[in-house]
Amino acid sequence: LLSISSRLLLWSDNVVVGLVLGPVAVTYYAIGGNLVDCMRSVLSSITCVFVPIASSYDAKKDMEGLRRLFIRGSRLTLLFLLPGICGLFTIGKPFIGLWMGERYIPYAFPVLVLLTVPLLVAPLQVTCNQILYGMNRHQTYAFLAISEAVLNLGISIYLAHKIGLFGVARDQRAPCHE
């Protein structure tokens, strides 16, 4: 369920944009989305080490170790991600201009910003997800995640009709353990 919810959250918006707004809008959405996906991949790579550590602490019933892992892991993950996030905010616009052309900036850059903002809290969430997975206590979270994914799909469809491209980009969650 966690894998399904991750994929639904991360890829359904591209489908919604294409179906509701047309294939040209997918290009603008994908430019910003692909840059943010690079940051999500970094986040996923960093936090995958938390699963075996959490399993070890849980096996020893070391709740203090789990607490430290959560706090330190969240902080360190944010520390590693922050330069990339700042880079997307500061040089995202000129990068899109050089990469794709100036005409893509008015739509692709706001999408990039809207998709980047949730990455500021993603280390906290993803670290927690990985620790829960390592402790084998992720079942309830899995059902909540799939519910969130379905709700996100519905909201994306609604906002695509009402606001357009920026309505779909308003909320993207970081990937959880797959």
Side-chain angles (χ1 to χ4, degrees), residues 15-130:
V15 175
V16 169
V17 168
L19 292 175
V20 175
L21 303 173
V24 173
V26 174
T27 302
Y28 292 107
Y29 190 85
I31 292 168
N34 286 339
L35 292 171
V36 173
D37 280 343
C38 292
M39 294 302 300
R40 286 191 191 115
S41 294
V42 169
L43 177 64
S44 185
S45 296
I46 293 169
T47 58
C48 69
V49 301
F50 298 147
V51 175
I53 299 169
S55 293
S56 173
Y57 285 142
D58 186 53
K60 294 185 270 184
K61 306 286 187 232
D62 184 359
M63 297 311 276
E64 181 59 28
L66 287 166
R67 188 185 71 74
R68 278 192 321 270
L69 177 62
F70 175 65
I71 292 169
R72 290 179 182 165
S74 299
R75 287 177 181 169
L76 285 172
T77 306
L78 180 60
L79 184 65
F80 281 117
L81 237 81
L82 215 46
I85 292 170
C86 292
L88 289 176
F89 285 136
T90 57
I91 63 169
K93 189 181 284 189
F95 181 79
I96 291 171
L98 288 171
W99 176 36
M100 297 300 295
E102 295 291 322
R103 67 188 175 117
Y104 291 94
I105 293 173
Y107 292 103
F109 183 68
V111 168
L112 173 69
V113 170
L114 287 170
L115 293 176
T116 301
V117 169
L119 286 177
L120 292 168
V121 295
L124 182 68
Q125 177 191 1
V126 177
T127 301
C128 182
N129 297 347
Q130 300 293 56

Side-chain angles (χ1 to χ4, degrees), residues 146-168:
I146 200 74
S147 300
E148 178 189 8
V150 171
L151 185 62
N152 179 66
L153 178 61
I155 291 170
S156 293
I157 293 169
Y158 174 77
L159 290 176
H161 284 291
K162 293 292 182 188
I163 303 174
L165 188 64
F166 306 129
V168 179

